[in-house]
Amino acid sequence: MARRVAGASFVGTALESYDFYVFGTAAALILGPVFFPEQDALTATLSAFLVFAMGFVARPIGAVLFGHLGDRIGRKRTLIWTILLMGLATGSIGLLPDYDTIGVWAPVILTVLRLLQGLSLGGEWGGSILIATEHAEPRKRALYASIPQLGSPVGTMLVSSIFLLLTLLVPEVMTGWGWRIPFLLAFPFLGIAIYLRLAIDETPIFREATRTRAIKRVPFLEVIRSQPVAIVVATASAVLGIGSYFLMTTYTQAYGTDTLGLSQATVLNAALVGSILQLVTIPSFGLLATRIGSAKVVAGGALGTALIAFPLYWVISVATEPMYIAAIILGGILPTASWAALGGLMADIFKPATAFTALSFAYSLAAIVAGFAPSITQRFGIATDGAWWHPGVVLATMSLVTVIGALAAVRLRARLAESEDPLVRTA
């Protein structure tokens, strides 16, 4: 059962990630001229990145809403609602008229749909981690917590493959109707995800909480009252795992094409190959976490990333196309450690009765920082006249924040393990 649930959680999360990430790639490559044609190229890309960031602003609201449902009515039922909202919002972007057709209403509606995407993902990640880990035996929880994390690279692979295929086959129509195809694919993907989520069982821990009447009346208030330090620690621990993706793909894709003059095929290939590599590195780091602890893996990956941040972006700044692809692939390995073990770290430091709310809210707060990483880096790049080191500053800063958070999580985990709460012992 644990394997079947983890597999279904992975596939559902992969499709949800595809829906959310397709906007990031489109923002880097297409949405600027389509929805902001009256602006110059750099400003249009910045505007697209700001709309992209709106999805992260909505995530804490989604975390509170869907966290409440997940801790009150169950993990399974809530995850069906999150994927339904995401699929409908993403598919609707593919049907949205552009600026030339309906004027300013086009970017306004685009922003609303992006907010709905963020609302959905606010509850998706925490629920996916819990439904996988709460079915697993304690000694394998860190590994099972890494399995839903595979959804991120698989979602990226789908996005990069589809955009790459369209760019190679029909480049002349990408700013016309071609960009709509990746968004419209959300509709059939939605059917697959709902089918898989209907087939899984509710978690034993939630059923036990229901049986013992341990369910909290207002989970969010309980989390804020009883675990405020854990929220801060989890948020800091998540910054690099989320932020490195959007810096090293969404922003760096635009940087590679607009500033370095690389082709769209090159930056998409780099993201695609890097995602394939993560299919190996994520479960490997998950296995390592079962031996040394999730928090230590997160801290180690973040420390290593801080050390390579500036050398990485120096190489990218002078890279040929093969060098660029190699830099993105190799530079993504250490941040992947922080991403792979993140779910295990969070599941370790929150009480099960309110874990859906706690995981979702902390993750969403970190995602706000991550969501603005492309636009902040873009502004920083404009201010420094495109200095090669400007993305390295952002990457190193996120890494150091995560190191501090992960080291604090080691101590929190030890304190929670001493708890007398029977649900903690069950978990």
Side-chain angles (χ1 to χ4, degrees):
M1 176 60 68
R3 292 179 181 178
R4 181 161 65 87
V5 170
S9 178
F10 150 66
V11 175
T13 303
L15 298 180
E16 179 105 355
S17 297
Y18 169 87
D19 286 357
F20 198 72
Y21 292 168
V22 71
F23 197 107
T25 299
L29 303 178
I30 300 294
L31 296 185
V34 172
F35 287 93
F36 305 96
E38 296 185 343
Q39 300 175 357
D40 63 79
L42 285 177
T43 307
T45 300
L46 176 59
S47 297
F49 282 160
L50 289 173
V51 176
F52 166 79
M54 290 300 101
F56 295 91
V57 173
R59 285 178 70 158
I61 301 172
V64 174
L65 171 62
F66 291 114
H68 182 88
L69 294 175
D71 286 326
R72 295 279 299 173
I73 69 173
R75 297 14 175 159
K76 173 184 173 178
R77 291 166 65 186
T78 302
L79 285 173
I80 292 173
W81 283 108
T82 61
I83 195 68
L84 181 64
L85 178 60
M86 176 66 84
L88 293 177
T90 305
S92 296
I93 293 174
L95 300 173
L96 179 62
D98 60 18
Y99 187 93
D100 291 338
T101 304
I102 60 173
V104 72
W105 283 106
V108 169
I109 298 172
L110 180 70
T111 303
V112 171
L113 292 173
R114 181 60 178 172
L115 288 169
L116 292 177
Q117 283 189 315
L119 200 69
S120 165
L121 204 63
E124 167 66 25
W125 186 83
S128 296
I129 294 295
L130 287 178
I131 209 161
T133 59
E134 290 183 354
H135 276 284
E137 57 184 282
R139 66 186 181 88
K140 294 183 177 180
R141 290 182 76 207
L143 174 61
Y144 279 88
S146 72
I147 292 175
Q149 304 294 68
L150 287 168
S152 177
V154 170
T156 302
M157 288 167 58
L158 288 171
V159 171
S160 299
S161 298
I162 292 169
F163 270 97
L164 182 61
L165 187 63
L166 291 170
T167 299
L168 293 175
L169 295 181
V170 286
E172 69 281 357
V173 300
M174 280 300 289
T175 56
W177 55 265
W179 66 270
R180 299 179 182 277
I181 295 174
F183 288 97
L184 293 173
L185 287 173
F187 289 130
F189 288 164
L190 174 60
I192 297 171
I194 289 180
Y195 171 78
L196 290 170
R197 290 193 168 172
L198 287 172
I200 61 179
D201 295 336
E202 186 54 80
T203 73
I205 290 177
F206 182 79
R207 292 200 301 268
E208 178 65 13
T210 303
R211 187 187 69 81
T212 59
R213 298 185 179 183
I215 294 175
K216 304 300 181 182
R217 185 178 179 86
V218 184
F220 178 68
L221 295 180
E222 177 64 22
V223 168
I224 296 300
R225 182 191 65 81
S226 64
Q227 293 193 281
V229 174
I231 290 289
V232 174
V233 168
T235 300
S237 300
V239 166
L240 177 65
I242 310 169
S244 61
Y245 173 87
F246 295 110
L247 178 66
M248 296 180 67
T249 54
T250 300
Y251 174 76
T252 307
Q253 283 178 345
Y255 176 65
T257 55
D258 296 343
T259 302
L260 303 181
L262 301 174
S263 67
Q264 290 187 0
T266 297
V267 298
L268 289 169
N269 270 319
L272 177 60
V273 177
S275 298
I276 293 172
L277 179 62
Q278 284 187 312
L279 298 182
V280 176
T281 55
I282 285 177
S284 298
F285 286 126
L287 281 171
L288 179 62
T290 64
R291 299 183 179 182
I292 69 172
S294 298
K296 292 179 180 178
V297 174
V298 172
L303 181 59
T305 303
L307 295 175
I308 69 165
F310 290 101
L312 172 66
Y313 275 98
W314 179 81
V315 170
I316 289 174
S317 72
V318 298
T320 60
E321 293 192 351
M323 285 175 63
Y324 175 88
I325 294 173
I328 292 296
I329 294 170
L330 297 176
I333 292 176
L334 289 169
T336 296
S338 294
W339 171 250
L342 178 60
L345 179 153
M346 287 199 183
D348 282 346
I349 65 173
F350 289 120
K351 298 176 182 178
T354 53
F356 201 126
T357 298
L359 265 77
S360 299
F361 186 65
Y363 187 89
S364 296
L365 292 179
I368 291 176
V369 177
F372 280 98
S375 55
I376 290 172
T377 312
Q378 179 84 345
R379 285 185 178 275
F380 194 26
I382 293 172
T384 60
D385 196 25
W388 67 265
W389 44 264
H390 76 272
V393 173
V394 179
L395 184 58
T397 301
M398 292 191 297
S399 301
L400 294 175
V401 170
T402 292
V403 169
I404 294 169
L407 293 178
V410 174
R411 299 185 64 182
L412 275 180
R413 170 56 181 163
R415 288 169 52 189
L416 189 59
E418 299 172 356
S419 171
E420 295 300 319
D421 186 339
L423 289 180
V424 173
R425 293 200 300 271
T426 301

